[in-house]
Amino acid sequence: MEVERIQALAAFGLDTLPAQFVRPSHERPENSPAVEGVTVPVISLSQPHHALIREIHEACRDWGFFLVTDHGIPPELIGQLQEAGREFFRLPQEEKEKYANDPPKGNFEGYGTKMTKNHDEKVEWVDYFFHFMHPSGKVRHEIWPQHPPSYREVTEEYNKETLKVTEVLLELISEGLGLEKNVLKASLGGDQMELEMKINLYPPCPQPQLALGVEPHTDMSAVTILVPNDVPGLQVWKDGNWFAADYLPNALFCHVGDQIEVLSNGKYKSVLHRSLVNKEKTRMSWAVFVAPPHEALIGPLPELINDQNPVKYSTKTFAEFRHRKFNKLPQ
């Protein structure tokens, strides 16, 4: 099936946005601007443990989102990861198409242009490359980009570093919930917990005030750890308003996802967020989705249930959750 790639479309130098990208009036960035003067939480992992637990708890409770600094991932490695992603998207179109995925047939890994169904058939202004990074049994190196040649080595190194940060964050989030530090990781499959890489490319857009790179959504992961390039665009929803998550060099953008919301029985909410696009510049982001294996049963943790806090979510396999979310069925 021939798919129209956004990067190829943008290369034509359009003056106006094709109709399928024009959002309904209430969704357009020009009609729903971000609140000025309020910054999202920024948390240094180098501070004392008790302060860290408190700050993570407050950020997860109030925002479902925070930036992490002093996380230990070398800035040089983040730079190499980003350069490898940029090099892939610079390849000739026919080269990129060799990696094309086929979501209708269940092949989500590879090069693609749209991941979710939309009732209005509005298209998001984004191309992407998606693949598993962990555990090793799920990794299919044959569908990873062969160019640049450094892609595999750099991505495997980034996977190792991201796993370390993920474990630290899950421990802190567990403790913020008043649980033993290992509870969330164990609930998400332990060493079988999955890490999925999605490189998003948002090319320059002729009318960015009418379009969205990614429409408002929550992530079905437990946690998402993202690094962007320096072109802003990510916005998070809080208290009935959009707030911009501005670029901070070498910081990790951390989203609470649907599985943490379910496990915490709603104590921590999955953050609604969207991506804007830019008229002159290409925006990119590298998102790692931390998710349980498909067969894992996810429901509210018994330790968090009592008469004052009854069960708010049903327990189901992650595969069932995904199926319902993709097809917009009630959970």
Side-chain angles (χ1 to χ4, degrees):
M1 183 181 71
E2 193 65 33
V3 178
E4 189 171 38
R5 304 300 183 190
I6 310 303
Q7 190 179 13
L9 189 62
F12 284 125
L14 304 170
D15 292 324
T16 56
L17 198 61
Q20 70 267 32
F21 298 100
V22 177
R23 309 304 299 193
S25 180
H26 68 280
E27 285 189 11
R28 296 174 191 171
E30 65 181 0
N31 296 332
S32 54
V35 172
E36 299 283 333
V38 179
T39 56
V40 300
V42 179
I43 300 174
S44 165
L45 291 186
S46 67
Q47 61 189 311
H49 194 69
H50 65 278
L52 207 41
I53 293 171
R54 187 189 73 249
E55 288 193 17
I56 294 270
H57 166 69
E58 290 172 354
C60 290
R61 180 194 65 199
D62 299 340
W63 287 83
F65 179 84
F66 51 94
L67 270 58
V68 163
T69 60
D70 303 309
H71 44 71
I73 301 181
E76 308 78 49
L77 179 59
I78 292 174
Q80 289 165 352
L81 179 84
Q82 292 178 317
E83 184 53 31
R86 283 192 291 266
E87 284 193 42
F88 170 78
F89 280 103
R90 286 187 199 121
L91 291 174
Q93 196 58 40
E94 62 271 21
E95 276 298 305
K96 294 195 288 275
E97 292 297 345
K98 292 176 183 176
Y99 299 93
N101 64 5
D102 193 352
K105 292 188 177 172
N107 299 325
F108 290 98
E109 290 189 85
Y111 173 56
T113 293
K114 192 164 170 51
M115 247 181 143
T116 52
K117 295 179 180 178
N118 178 309
H119 290 315
D120 299 326
E121 297 307 315
K122 292 299 180 186
V123 186
E124 299 166 326
W125 191 261
V126 60
D127 294 330
Y128 65 86
F129 200 102
F130 177 80
H131 64 78
F132 283 94
M133 291 202 305
H134 180 84
S136 56
K138 296 281 301 229
V139 173
R140 297 166 56 210
H141 286 125
E142 69 273 14
I143 64 103
W144 288 25
Q146 302 297 305
H147 298 284
S150 62
Y151 185 90
R152 177 170 171 176
E153 182 184 354
V154 166
T155 303
E156 287 182 337
E157 188 61 31
Y158 188 71
N159 172 59
K160 283 185 205 161
E161 295 292 335
T162 307
L163 266 174
K164 291 181 203 167
V165 175
T166 297
E167 297 211 2
V168 169
L169 290 176
L170 288 176
E171 287 179 1
L172 290 165
I173 295 168
S174 286
E175 290 181 281
L177 288 165
L179 303 167
E180 294 292 322
K181 66 180 184 180
N182 63 338
V183 169
L184 280 181
K185 183 184 174 186
S187 303
L188 295 167
D191 291 336
Q192 294 307 301
M193 184 171 65
E194 297 177 356
L195 268 61
E196 306 159 354
M197 167 65 80
K198 186 170 176 232
I199 309 172
N200 297 300
L201 178 108
Y202 308 93
C205 175
Q207 293 176 294
Q209 73 279 13
L210 304 179
L212 287 174
V214 177
E215 63 192 22
H217 69 287
T218 61
D219 291 345
M220 64 176 87
S221 57
V223 177
T224 303
I225 298 172
L226 178 147
V227 291
N229 69 351
D230 59 358
V231 179
L234 180 66
Q235 296 185 345
V236 298
W237 184 258
K238 180 181 183 291
D239 301 333
N241 290 292
W242 290 109
F243 293 85
D246 290 331
Y247 173 69
L248 185 63
N250 298 311
L252 304 177
F253 289 42
C254 302
H255 301 68
V256 172
D258 296 342
Q259 305 314 303
I260 293 286
E261 178 170 334
V262 171
L263 287 163
S264 72
N265 200 37
K267 199 167 182 181
Y268 295 164
K269 287 285 192 287
S270 186
V271 64
L272 187 72
H273 56 286
R274 68 179 185 179
S275 290
L276 274 51
V277 289
N278 191 285
K279 188 165 185 176
E280 280 86 32
K281 297 177 179 176
T282 295
R283 183 168 175 264
M284 290 186 74
S285 66
W286 289 254
V288 176
F289 302 106
V290 179
H294 280 201
E295 67 278 7
L297 276 172
I298 304 293
L301 291 164
E303 302 96 310
L304 301 178
I305 303 304
N306 55 40
D307 291 342
Q308 287 75 45
N309 196 24
V311 171
K312 298 186 178 92
Y313 304 84
S314 64
T315 297
K316 58 178 77 73
T317 64
F318 183 52
E320 172 72 3
F321 185 96
R322 278 172 57 94
H323 172 76
R324 288 177 172 276
K325 181 138 183 171
F326 269 127
N327 293 289
K328 297 187 162 42
L329 300 170
Q331 291 288 356

